[in-house]
Amino acid sequence: MSHIEADDRKSLTDWRLVLVLVAFSALALAIAVRLVMLHTVEQPFLFEQGEKRTVRDEVQLASRGDILDRRGRPLAVSTPVFTLWLNPQIINLQQIPAVANILGMSTSKLTKRVRRAASEGRSFFYLKRQVSPAVAKDITAQRVAGVYAEDDFRRFYPAAEVTAQLLGIIDVDQRGQEGVELAYNKYLKGHDGARRVVKDLYGNVVKQLAVKSHPESGSALQLTLDLRLQYIAYRELKAAVQQHKAKSGSAVMLDAKTGEVLALVSRPSYNPNNRSQLDARQMRNRALVDVLEPGSTIKPFTVAAALESGKFNPDSIVNTHPGYVRVGKKTIRDHRNYGELDLTSVITKSSNVGTTQLAAEVGAESLWQLLSDVGIGQSDVLGMPGEVVGSLPYPEQMDDLRLATSSFGYGMSVSALQLARAYSVFQNGCQRNIHLVKNDAIDSSCHRIISEKTAAQVRQMLETVTSDRGTGSRARVPGYRVGGKTGTAHKVGRGGYEDSAYTAVFAGLAPLTDPDLVLVVVVDEPQGKEYYGGEVAAPVFSRIMQQSLNLRQIAPDQPLQSLVMRGGEI
Amino acid sequence: MNWGIWGLVLISAFIQVASVQWHRDLLQVWQQQSALKLTLTQENTRLVLEKSALTAPGRIDKIARQQMKMHAPQSTRVLQP
């Protein structure tokens, strides 16, 4: 009996063993089949899904190049910051208060935003752009899954409103939008890098799969601008615009010997580092974009054309009696009857009748040729965005009346920069390329327009304008011989020239012995009793020019009124 | 012969593992250096901006006029022998 029981038990054991073996074999086979399936049939799908969750094509931003002034002072610099973004599909809603608290955001608003984005199936939105590294560090320290920090850059403009319109701005994607930032965007922006990486849940790079390109920072751009002169020009212009309650103003200073732009300012201005109150009107670079009728500031060119014609010399007499002249159906008037004037006095007294007679004698062709040669109405100067070309009527368009009005600066339009370029011709009779960027490749040769003798004669005439009997006596600078011309042009409105809206201009050079600086000051629509160029723009010219000559250490070329030594007067 | 092939397979396997590890180490160093570069760039920019703010013509002008009572020379000059 026990033998039979023992055999039955052994048989049962063998059977169980076989069953277990078969079961395990089947299991092993199933696993093997599944493995084969995963590695063959489903492999492409699984590989793609895996990569979607971990592999990222990452753009590595290139730093934008700095903009520097002529002495290497920074005008625009980029600093590393971070941009925070969020994946609503991953983030744990309970962690939102901590994130909102650090960023100073409303928890309820952020929660709503995340819920809405998650319900729309979105997996990306910007949490906050361009946050400081300290804030980004606080956020990443929270180790919130679904919140990521990416490298970014923020642009700072140390001189703020002083250089605002000239430099312009960039957008959040580092693209130039205005001014130098836009004009030289390709040069400044550099090239972003690209790589393929594996990232973990928190956005950390755990493996780099491929580098497609390395980021290359943008090149630094050095301007010819002198920040010190720019500041002086801005401060004085701002004071004048405020004092005269003017609508706007601009000033341009050029190096008369090289054609470099040393200062270029506009009012009103804005702070490019804080654009919350930004008004588009403040962004206008009025020295380049706004046109004005140059008015009497054109008269020196009419006189220069007369001198170049060979028919006149500085002592030639022009009879302006009785103080007006009929041209066609119009009457051109002087302020009063100046009688007989020599050419110098035509400039000193700013006689419209005198220049009308000179233009009639010289002819439309010669006057147009000179004005176009100095760049009036011919082309933009710097190639900056929005820069105006201005206008100058062709000789064949000039009837007697148009020729007459052109001789004293009406019926044409220029920018402040164009006027400054035109005046640079009086340095020695030739004109150089006006440029804003330091560049050895720029052609520094001088293009002759009028003779050196004519330039010197016109300079002497311009000096009389700043004398006691001239219209621009308030433009004088102690210790220096200064020459220039005032201009007061009626503004053009819908119904033609307006009676009570003026543009006050002063354009000049200093020191006249060997001109170093050309400066043009424009004040648009000054309010109050003073509105003439000699009253509004000339004092600004004087203040800017005086400080600039001192800063540039230009030797005085005029005896000082009194020279005092320690211990007594000499 | 077979042992030789097996040996080469093993060696190449070890080299592959070592090279992967080496790549990870280098990547880590690169990441650290990139972070350091970013920090230094940020610090440099901060200092540049700070220097620029401290030496701004407007600030110097204000200090010279208000605190040091300086003014621009007028038509009268005083020569200091």
Side-chain angles (χ1 to χ4, degrees):
Chain A
M1 186 67 187
S2 60
H3 181 68
I4 292 168
E5 281 178 358
D7 284 348
D8 287 347
R9 202 175 290 122
K10 186 174 181 300
S11 160
L12 186 65
T13 308
D14 289 347
W15 183 82
R16 280 177 178 168
L17 184 63
V18 169
L19 187 67
V20 168
L21 281 173
V22 168
F24 271 93
S25 298
L27 200 62
L29 187 65
I31 289 170
V33 169
R34 181 63 183 153
L35 275 173
V36 170
M37 289 288 285
L38 288 174
H39 278 86
T40 54
V41 181
E42 295 180 25
Q43 196 271 344
F45 172 77
L46 293 172
F47 183 76
E48 187 186 333
Q49 290 299 313
E51 283 213 329
K52 272 185 183 174
R53 283 160 177 75
T54 55
V55 176
R56 296 279 181 268
D57 283 318
E58 196 178 64
V59 174
Q60 293 179 290
L61 286 182
S63 170
R64 195 173 173 85
D66 294 345
I67 302 176
L68 312 167
D69 86 337
R70 62 186 298 117
R71 293 153 58 84
R73 291 176 181 234
L75 301 175
V77 290
S78 288
T79 185
V81 290
F82 289 91
T83 284
L84 299 172
W85 65 276
L86 188 147
N87 186 342
Q89 309 293 340
I90 295 177
I91 193 166
N92 180 351
L93 291 179
Q94 289 179 342
Q95 291 181 299
I96 285 180
V99 174
N101 189 34
I102 294 170
L103 294 175
M105 300 167 85
S106 161
T107 304
S108 58
K109 282 184 183 173
L110 184 57
T111 308
K112 271 185 194 172
R113 208 174 144 201
V114 171
R115 281 194 173 132
R116 192 171 60 240
S119 66
E120 289 169 357
R122 289 164 57 191
S123 55
F124 173 93
F125 73 75
Y126 284 119
L127 193 54
K128 200 164 188 178
R129 300 193 77 168
Q130 299 190 335
V131 298
S132 70
V135 172
K137 196 176 173 185
D138 287 348
I139 291 287
T140 49
Q142 299 290 320
R143 295 187 67 79
V144 179
V147 174
Y148 308 98
E150 279 187 354
D151 295 340
D152 202 350
F153 289 94
R154 186 173 174 193
R155 200 75 159 158
F156 283 98
Y157 302 90
E161 61 181 34
V162 176
T163 54
Q165 294 100 346
L166 181 63
L167 299 181
I169 52 172
I170 60 170
D171 63 11
V172 286
D173 293 319
Q174 308 288 311
R175 290 177 300 213
Q177 298 295 299
E178 285 280 344
V180 172
E181 295 278 25
L182 176 58
Y184 294 91
N185 188 50
K186 280 186 182 174
Y187 185 81
L188 289 165
K189 74 174 184 178
H191 297 285
D192 292 340
R195 62 176 181 169
R196 176 164 284 195
V197 294
V198 175
K199 285 189 169 182
D200 67 7
L201 186 66
Y202 300 104
N204 301 314
V205 174
V206 291
K207 191 177 179 184
Q208 182 166 276
L209 301 175
V211 177
K212 293 175 184 170
S213 61
H214 290 286
E216 290 175 28
S217 297
S219 306
L221 184 71
Q222 186 162 29
L223 304 183
T224 58
L225 207 73
D226 188 326
L227 187 56
R228 301 171 307 169
L229 303 184
Q230 178 85 358
Y231 168 73
I232 289 167
Y234 181 78
R235 185 186 60 192
E236 299 302 341
L237 182 72
K238 183 181 176 183
V241 168
Q242 285 176 346
Q243 181 193 343
H244 296 283
K245 298 182 177 60
K247 192 176 169 186
S248 63
S250 58
V252 179
M253 183 186 285
L254 303 179
D255 187 322
K257 293 174 182 170
T258 62
E260 292 174 334
V261 178
L262 297 173
L264 200 151
V265 294
S266 296
R267 277 291 297 175
S269 189
Y270 65 99
N271 182 359
N273 300 312
N274 179 8
R275 302 179 201 169
S276 57
Q277 305 284 320
L278 186 61
D279 181 345
R281 283 172 297 184
Q282 298 169 332
M283 295 176 75
R284 287 178 74 88
N285 190 342
R286 293 171 188 277
L288 306 179
V289 174
D290 284 5
V291 288
L292 60 118
E293 274 193 314
S296 298
T297 53
I298 286 298
K299 285 174 183 168
F301 298 99
T302 306
V303 171
L307 292 170
E308 284 286 289
S309 71
K311 298 176 185 172
F312 296 88
N313 62 56
D315 298 322
S316 299
I317 299 298
V318 178
N319 190 356
T320 66
H321 182 79
Y324 60 84
V325 61
R326 291 281 297 178
V327 181
K329 293 178 181 177
K330 297 280 180 183
T331 303
I332 290 164
R333 296 177 186 279
D334 281 338
H335 286 291
R336 63 182 178 86
N337 179 9
Y338 293 121
E340 289 189 341
L341 293 174
D342 59 18
L343 252 58
T344 302
S345 298
V346 168
I347 293 293
T348 315
K349 302 293 181 189
S350 196
S351 169
N352 295 335
V353 177
T355 52
T356 298
Q357 293 185 9
L358 289 175
E361 197 67 36
V362 167
E365 184 69 41
S366 298
L367 183 61
W368 179 87
Q369 190 64 53
L370 178 60
L371 292 175
S372 63
D373 281 351
V374 297
I376 290 175
Q378 293 307 302
S379 62
D380 55 353
V381 183
L382 298 173
M384 296 279 281
E387 197 178 334
V388 292
V389 173
S391 66
L392 175 68
Y394 287 107
E396 50 271 26
Q397 295 174 310
M398 287 191 195
D399 54 14
D400 288 347
L401 181 60
R402 234 171 157 187
L403 175 62
T405 53
S406 295
S407 75
F408 50 87
Y410 276 79
M412 65 180 74
S413 61
V414 296
S415 67
L417 180 62
Q418 279 182 325
L419 192 58
R421 175 172 69 171
Y423 264 71
S424 71
V425 80
F426 296 130
Q427 205 275 341
N428 65 354
C430 64
Q431 208 173 43
R432 290 183 168 80
N433 277 329
I434 304 300
H435 53 283
L436 180 63
V437 175
K438 281 267 185 192
N439 187 348
D440 295 335
I442 285 176
D443 178 16
S444 59
S445 61
C446 200
H447 172 54
R448 180 149 302 282
I449 293 170
I450 55 175
S451 69
E452 211 163 326
K453 184 184 168 192
T454 301
Q457 287 172 336
V458 175
R459 284 205 306 272
Q460 283 186 345
M461 293 176 186
L462 291 176
E463 190 174 12
T464 64
V465 174
T466 61
S467 67
D468 287 335
R469 59 196 175 94
T471 55
S473 58
R474 290 164 78 175
R476 276 185 293 204
V477 176
Y480 294 93
R481 291 176 58 209
V482 173
K485 186 71 193 78
T486 56
T488 311
H490 283 274
K491 290 199 72 177
V492 179
R494 287 182 181 173
Y497 287 108
E498 294 185 356
D499 289 334
S500 56
Y502 301 91
T503 306
V505 189
F506 192 91
L509 310 89
L512 282 187
T513 307
D514 181 20
D516 184 66
L517 297 174
V518 177
L519 176 61
V520 169
V521 177
V522 179
V523 180
D524 189 29
E525 288 192 36
Q527 310 294 316
K529 289 179 182 175
E530 291 187 327
Y531 58 85
Y532 284 109
E535 296 170 328
V536 177
V540 185
F541 176 95
S542 171
R543 288 194 290 270
I544 296 174
M545 189 59 90
Q546 180 179 10
Q547 294 170 67
S548 302
L549 290 169
N550 289 342
L551 259 179
R552 283 171 69 84
Q553 300 186 347
I554 306 297
D557 61 345
Q558 193 178 50
L560 295 165
Q561 288 173 1
S562 59
L563 196 60
V564 180
M565 288 192 71
R566 195 193 284 173
E569 190 168 330
I570 56 170
Chain B
M1 186 61 185
N2 283 344
W3 286 110
I5 290 169
W6 275 111
L8 286 173
V9 168
L10 279 174
I11 288 167
S12 78
F14 281 123
I15 288 172
Q16 190 190 4
V17 170
S19 71
V20 166
Q21 185 58 39
W22 190 40
H23 172 257
R24 282 178 184 161
D25 290 343
L26 288 175
L27 178 65
Q28 196 178 11
V29 172
W30 187 10
Q31 296 276 100
Q32 287 169 347
Q33 293 301 311
S34 292
L36 182 63
K37 182 190 166 194
L38 214 60
T39 309
L40 291 174
T41 308
Q42 186 214 342
E43 183 68 5
N44 178 57
T45 314
R46 191 183 66 76
L47 291 171
V48 165
L49 289 171
E50 197 172 305
K51 183 186 170 193
S52 181
L54 290 172
T55 59
R59 182 175 176 275
I60 292 172
D61 183 70
K62 200 173 172 184
I63 291 172
R65 286 174 195 275
Q66 294 180 357
Q67 293 180 22
M68 303 176 80
K69 308 295 180 195
M70 294 171 78
H71 60 85
Q74 300 302 312
S75 57
T76 300
R77 303 283 197 280
V78 177
L79 301 180
Q80 303 262 341

